[in-house]
Amino acid sequence: MKNGLEDVIAAETRLSDVDGEAGRLIIRGVSLDHLVSTATYESVAALLLDGLTERHFGPAELGDWLGEMRVRIFAHVAALQSDLLALPPVDAMRVLIARLPDGEDFEAALRLLAAPAVFLPAILRLQAGNEPVAPDASLPQAADILRMLTGRMPSAEQKAALDAYLVTISDHGLNASTFASRVIASTRAGLTSSVLAAISALKGPLHGGAPGPVLDMFDEIGVSENARGWLGRALDRGERLMGFGHRIYRVRDPRADALKKALRPLVLAGQVDRQRVELSEAVERAALAVLRERKPDRPLDVNVEFYTALLLDALGFPRESFTGVFAIGRTVGWIAHAREQALEGRLIRPRSIYVGPVPQAA
Ligand code: ACO
């Protein structure tokens, strides 16, 4: 058996390919570099879902339907009671999504694409003591998310940066949450169930829960000169450095560079804390050096979560919401994989090796 199913092939997919040796990501035939410089959330969603639902559509139609669906979904925000608001944002979001009907059709997919984008900003505003802001159906999803979060229209740089983030993380092979989505889809339980399972897998600190702790690490390090000592002590305690390492990549995660690039216009426009960016560069350099020394046999490089932390912080998302923002972007990948599994796959049912006691012969 392969611990952690490492290198086990568990699905055939036309959706995305992660080449861990070359550091390359392809989404439906398009390289991440190209996609991130040309696509919007709506266009990558149309690309991923193409042919996997009963409807045919392009990015513009999808954008219109998504806008209308955001407005309809907003009614569910009224269900946010104080006990739900005491939960971490991703958990409160999961509860609201669990209230949506299950289904395998386009309508179910559209509901699930709109729901996290509406629920997370509303939860964050209510947790901060503010009234939720209703969606604007005429806006693209990225701009509307930022408007619902802050109550203001985002700058062009902010909208572009969130679009770049949502495109970058839209799909990524058979990661833990996507596998969870496909397992549920293989039982034909429905897309809401698939997305709920995927969110539950995503929130762990070894998967999509890492970027909040990346910011905690920056805060604790404080200034660049402290980076090397702080990181060395963390490794002495047996801790993992958040934002580094990956099961598949043996080189730099290409999504880290896509997000670093997406951050640049915000830096140039003075919409990011420059000191934070300089500190992050020092932490990255120090971490790579310390990891090379301590783990010479395991190539460990920066992963997507490191720059996710910087980008989402710059856009005004509080750190406890980062996993929820990841879920907003990844839901389309989860849905596409769930549909592919339901259309082409079989029930997923692996076997285990029993290593427990056996009954004694009488
Ligand atoms: N810091 C320090 N050491 C690490 C790190 C790290 N970030 N990542 C791996 N290692 C070490 C392990 O301790 C282990 O060393 P050992 O053999 O001496 O015990 C060796 O590298 C191999 O680690 P594995 O656990 O086999 O690697 P795995 O493929 O299971 O883990 C993971 C991948 C979970 C991402 C890991 O690198 C990690 O914990 N990183 C930090 C958390 C993080 O950034 N998660 C986000 C990942 S990206 C995403 O999911 C969206």
Side-chain angles (χ1 to χ4, degrees):
M1 88 146 223
K2 297 261 195 166
N3 203 2
L5 302 185
E6 184 158 5
D7 292 334
V8 171
I9 310 292
E12 237 177 29
T13 183
R14 274 182 274 281
L15 296 170
S16 60
D17 182 45
V18 182
D19 182 335
E21 301 296 330
R24 195 190 57 199
L25 169 61
I26 295 172
I27 297 180
R28 288 207 103 165
V30 188
S31 76
L32 175 66
D33 290 349
H34 183 69
L35 209 54
V36 83
S37 55
T38 51
T40 59
Y41 172 76
E42 285 76 7
S43 60
V44 83
L47 180 70
L48 275 165
L49 294 176
D50 185 34
L52 292 172
T53 71
E54 71 280 11
R55 286 216 214 160
H56 292 281
F57 52 85
E61 276 167 303
L62 182 64
D64 290 346
W65 294 332
L66 261 178
E68 288 163 21
M69 186 56 90
R70 284 196 304 276
V71 171
R72 276 164 56 192
I73 282 282
F74 186 65
H76 288 266
V77 165
L80 280 168
Q81 308 292 337
S82 56
D83 56 335
L84 292 188
L85 292 171
L87 294 172
V90 70
D91 290 342
M93 187 171 100
R94 192 172 50 167
V95 174
L96 286 193
I97 292 173
R99 293 165 43 93
L100 301 176
D102 236 325
E104 292 187 305
D105 58 357
F106 178 75
E107 185 78 2
L110 197 61
R111 264 196 307 270
L112 289 159
L113 294 181
V118 171
F119 294 160
L120 189 70
I123 291 163
L124 294 173
R125 286 189 69 85
L126 285 164
Q127 286 180 333
N130 300 315
E131 280 301 303
V133 173
D136 178 342
S138 70
L139 289 177
Q141 181 117 318
D144 208 19
I145 291 168
L146 290 170
R147 195 190 59 88
M148 287 187 279
L149 177 73
T150 64
R152 295 183 305 277
M153 276 302 283
S155 68
E157 292 84 4
Q158 288 168 330
K159 190 257 174 198
L162 185 59
D163 249 332
Y165 173 73
L166 297 173
V167 167
T168 299
I169 59 141
S170 58
D171 197 38
H172 199 243
L174 205 56
N175 56 84
S177 55
T178 300
F179 184 50
S181 169
R182 289 190 81 120
V183 169
I184 304 294
S186 84
T187 74
R188 311 302 300 267
L191 290 172
T192 303
S193 299
S194 273
V195 168
L196 285 170
I199 292 175
S200 305
L202 181 76
K203 64 177 251 193
L206 300 190
H207 190 8
V214 169
L215 277 196
D216 297 340
M217 173 173 76
F218 292 160
D219 286 348
E220 286 178 34
I221 291 174
V223 289
S224 304
E225 301 72 57
N226 292 346
R228 206 160 164 132
W230 189 97
L231 295 164
R233 286 191 295 280
L235 291 178
D236 289 343
R237 292 192 298 270
E239 291 172 13
R240 287 179 178 212
L241 305 183
M242 291 293 136
F244 295 88
H246 199 272
R247 173 62 62 83
I248 307 286
Y249 291 119
R250 291 293 162 260
V251 292
R252 227 175 138 76
D253 182 336
R255 298 169 300 172
D257 285 329
L259 297 185
K260 191 173 182 179
K261 210 163 143 191
L263 198 62
R264 210 168 295 145
L266 289 173
V267 176
L268 293 176
Q271 294 169 20
V272 184
D273 176 356
R274 262 176 195 274
Q275 273 182 336
R276 169 86 83 194
V277 175
E278 280 161 19
L279 174 67
S280 74
E281 285 166 355
V283 171
E284 184 182 344
R285 277 194 303 275
L288 295 180
V290 177
L291 286 169
R292 259 195 306 274
E293 274 168 31
R294 303 288 186 96
K295 308 270 176 193
D297 302 331
R298 174 83 172 184
L300 293 168
D301 214 314
V302 71
N303 67 42
V304 66
E305 301 291 40
F306 192 83
Y307 283 98
T308 291
L310 281 171
L311 189 85
L312 297 186
D313 184 47
L315 290 176
F317 289 99
R319 67 187 70 185
E320 64 277 10
S321 72
F322 290 173
T323 310
V325 191
F326 196 130
I328 295 177
R330 183 54 65 80
T331 299
V332 65
W334 293 331
I335 291 173
H337 277 269
R339 290 299 304 141
E340 194 180 53
Q341 179 68 38
L343 290 169
E344 297 168 18
R346 290 176 73 202
L347 173 71
I348 294 176
R349 202 310 185 184
R351 293 181 60 178
S352 48
I353 298 170
Y354 181 67
V355 294
V358 290
Q360 299 298 313

